[in-house]
Amino acid sequence: PARAEFLPLNSQNWITQGNALRLDWLSVCPPTGTGVRFQAEDLFHTPLDQAQIDFENEGGETYICGNPPYARHQQRTTEQKEEMENLFSSTSVPPGDLDYVLSWVELWRRYSSHTDCDAAFVMTNSVTQGRQVPRYWPLLFKSGCSISFAQTSFPWRNNASGNAAVVCVIVGLTRDKRSVSQLYDGDLVSETAEITPYLTKGRVVFIEPRNSGPIMSQLTPMRTGNMPIDGGFYVLEPEKARSLALGNADAAKYIRPFLGSRELSQGRMRYCIWIEEADRQSVASIPEIADRIRKVESFRRSSSRIATKKLAAKPHRFAETQDCQRHIIALQNVSSENKPIRTPVLLPHPYMISNLCFGLYDGHLWELSILSSKLHHAWAATLCGKLKTDYRYSNTLGWNTFPVPTLTEKNKANLTACAENILLAREAHFPATIADLYDPEKMPENLRAAHDHNDEVLERIYIGRRFKNDTERLEKLFEMYTKMTSKKAKVTV
């Protein structure tokens, strides 16, 4: 009886069974004063014997509730991919890398253009980060929609056992332009005239990845690390590298330290066989290395990928190569959610980094100061997004778009000193690893103080004082980015 009173389903009610991405929402929930003429457009899921719905909406409030599956583009089924292709075919938006939940946002966008309605979505936070923002959100905003309120990222929790590792946001959408919108960040609530699709305060802006290098010409280009595609024959664990070097003195000069994301964080070592073009003939006389070259060539030729087959023409070389003359400022592709500080590492020549890292090759030491700052972390965390709860990094989004004021020689000298202080503070705790040093519960006080001083020096360059919080940092950075890109656009014209 209690359920009947709460949800009084009887012969006067209609249940439409079907796929929400194939049904015409207006035919099921029409605007007030219009008649319902439901026709089964979802031929695969609607029962053939379902009666046609035929009545008039006489008014009142209509609520559309649902529970769209959480599925990133890599997790979508073939059927889900087809549904999104069909749904977005009438737009200019390719759905390839969009999360599945954005299909429901798109259906609301279309539905709300015919009847006055708002929406609120609990969504995977990836839809408000990275490449998905410039892919889909311009369509939404150009249609006259805006964000009326939002809750920033939080881990999904419910009473079910085995909760999925999902980080969510809540986004309220409307076509009724509000003078004030509310942005919720944990227990903090702030009011703003606009909320951006990155769930920050300030003017709406869409930031595209930049493949042409940093927007600030004073910054060193950031490139990915070295990719072997070698079948495992050029990458060596320490024991194997030691054995090879001891077994043949000539082979030792072709062995170099080779670090990936895990090695940078955990202080481990790996090595690689590195052969320059000029050394191709010399290594042919070293049996241990010549044998590996033959195996790499065979591995590449047997690949089903055309690009890998082509690499067999130069079996002695890595597939993608980057090198330095003096040093590399290296940064992990993915870092733990427990590290609210970017942790770039300075590696001297002849160290190499793998494609699981990014590097400033022979970069300025003051750039290590910028990469280590709260300012840059806030920007990268917002734009590059996360892999579940871990921070991802992208050179085209995190570094190439990062706004930096024009630095004087004095600014650079001060930031260089800050970078040196951070490195010295780490060194004082040798052999502690990066993972050890940046554990929030165990971070040494001198290292914490070095980072705090670094933030103060850098932030004073931006606004003459420390920022109050990440919200203020992002407001300033988005404002600078908008001004810089508009100036470049005018110059281009």
Side-chain angles (χ1 to χ4, degrees), residues 29 67 86 93 108 134 149 161 360 362 388 462-463 485:
C29 298
N67 185 25
N86 179 65
V93 177
W108 170 81
F149 73 91
S161 61
L360 301 179
D362 296 315
K388 293 185 178 179
Y462 277 77
I463 61 171
T485 51

Side-chain angles (χ1 to χ4, degrees), residues 341 369-370 372-376 415 418 422 448-461 465-467 473:
I341 301 172
S369 165
I370 292 174
S372 301
S373 68
K374 286 183 179 179
L375 261 171
H376 183 69
L415 293 175
C418 288
I422 291 172
R448 194 185 302 274
H451 275 283
D452 189 61
H453 179 65
N454 180 65
D455 287 327
E456 178 159 358
V457 171
L458 180 61
E459 291 179 10
R460 286 187 179 278
I461 294 173
R465 62 169 175 81
R466 292 292 298 269
F467 288 99
R473 290 183 180 96

Side-chain angles (χ1 to χ4, degrees), residues 321-386:
T321 60
Q322 306 286 351
D323 204 352
C324 64
Q325 298 298 316
R326 296 175 289 112
H327 60 244
I328 305 168
I329 299 174
L331 195 67
Q332 300 165 254
N333 280 14
V334 178
S335 59
S336 168
E337 65 172 325
N338 295 322
K339 288 194 297 185
I341 301 172
R342 297 281 160 186
T343 52
V345 176
L346 185 67
L347 300 174
H349 181 79
Y351 275 72
M352 309 296 293
I353 56 174
S354 80
N355 56 297
L356 296 179
C357 304
F358 290 105
L360 301 179
Y361 296 83
D362 296 315
H364 308 289
L365 200 53
W366 52 262
E367 291 174 302
L368 187 146
S369 165
I370 292 174
L371 285 170
S372 301
S373 68
K374 286 183 179 179
L375 261 171
H376 183 69
H377 179 86
W379 181 259
T382 300
L383 264 67
C384 302
K386 293 185 176 183

Side-chain angles (χ1 to χ4, degrees), residues 198-258:
Y198 299 97
L199 304 192
T200 60
K201 299 195 306 184
R203 180 181 171 186
V204 172
V205 60
F206 304 102
I207 299 180
E208 292 275 5
R210 282 180 57 88
N211 296 312
S212 57
I215 191 172
M216 309 303 300
S217 59
Q218 61 191 323
L219 297 180
T220 302
M222 181 180 285
R223 301 191 294 273
T224 190
N226 299 277
M227 182 181 293
I229 309 185
D230 64 335
F233 296 109
Y234 287 156
V235 180
L236 311 171
E237 294 299 325
E239 298 78 10
K240 181 62 71 174
R242 191 178 303 111
S243 174
L244 180 58
L246 291 174
N248 191 317
D250 291 332
K253 65 180 179 180
Y254 300 107
I255 299 175
R256 298 174 66 168
F258 183 65

Side-chain angles (χ1 to χ4, degrees), residues 106-308:
E106 172 60 13
L107 285 169
W108 170 81
R109 182 187 73 86
R110 300 180 188 187
Y111 183 74
S112 64
S113 67
H114 296 280
T115 183
D116 183 23
C117 66
D118 289 351
F121 290 93
V122 180
M123 301 187 286
T124 40
N125 68 341
S126 50
V127 304
T128 60
Q129 301 169 344
R131 288 169 169 77
Q132 293 199 60
V133 173
R135 292 291 185 275
Y136 177 73
W137 288 85
L139 174 63
L140 199 66
F141 278 79
K142 287 176 183 177
S143 299
C145 305
S146 61
I147 299 175
S148 55
F149 73 91
Q151 165 70 58
T152 57
S153 298
F154 64 94
W156 176 254
R157 295 283 186 271
N158 59 30
N159 294 326
S161 61
N163 281 314
V166 176
V167 178
C168 296
V169 294
I170 301 174
V171 181
L173 297 171
T174 185
R175 287 181 180 271
D176 180 17
K177 181 65 176 176
R178 311 288 171 83
S179 58
V180 176
S181 299
Q182 288 77 34
L183 182 61
Y184 298 81
D185 186 358
D187 295 329
L188 300 176
V189 184
S190 56
E191 294 188 338
T192 178
E194 288 185 279
I195 297 177
T196 76
Y198 299 97
L199 304 192
T200 60
K201 299 195 306 184
R203 180 181 171 186
V204 172
V205 60
F206 304 102
I207 299 180
E208 292 275 5
R210 282 180 57 88
N211 296 312
S212 57
I215 191 172
M216 309 303 300
S217 59
Q218 61 191 323
L219 297 180
T220 302
M222 181 180 285
R223 301 191 294 273
T224 190
N226 299 277
M227 182 181 293
I229 309 185
D230 64 335
F233 296 109
Y234 287 156
V235 180
L236 311 171
E237 294 299 325
E239 298 78 10
K240 181 62 71 174
R242 191 178 303 111
S243 174
L244 180 58
L246 291 174
N248 191 317
D250 291 332
K253 65 180 179 180
Y254 300 107
I255 299 175
R256 298 174 66 168
F258 183 65
L259 308 185
S261 184
R262 184 178 63 175
E263 287 76 27
L264 287 181
S265 176
Q266 300 178 9
R268 301 184 182 185
M269 287 297 296
R270 279 197 308 174
Y271 297 84
C272 70
I273 295 174
W274 185 264
I275 305 168
E276 300 286 356
E277 194 65 40
D279 298 321
R280 185 172 186 176
Q281 297 304 320
S282 301
V283 297
S285 62
I286 304 174
E288 295 88 343
I289 293 181
D291 180 58
R292 289 176 180 271
I293 293 175
R294 287 192 292 271
K295 289 176 178 177
V296 170
E297 181 177 10
S298 175
F299 168 78
R300 291 176 178 177
R301 288 193 187 282
S302 63
S303 173
S304 59
R305 296 181 68 246
I306 295 177
T308 302

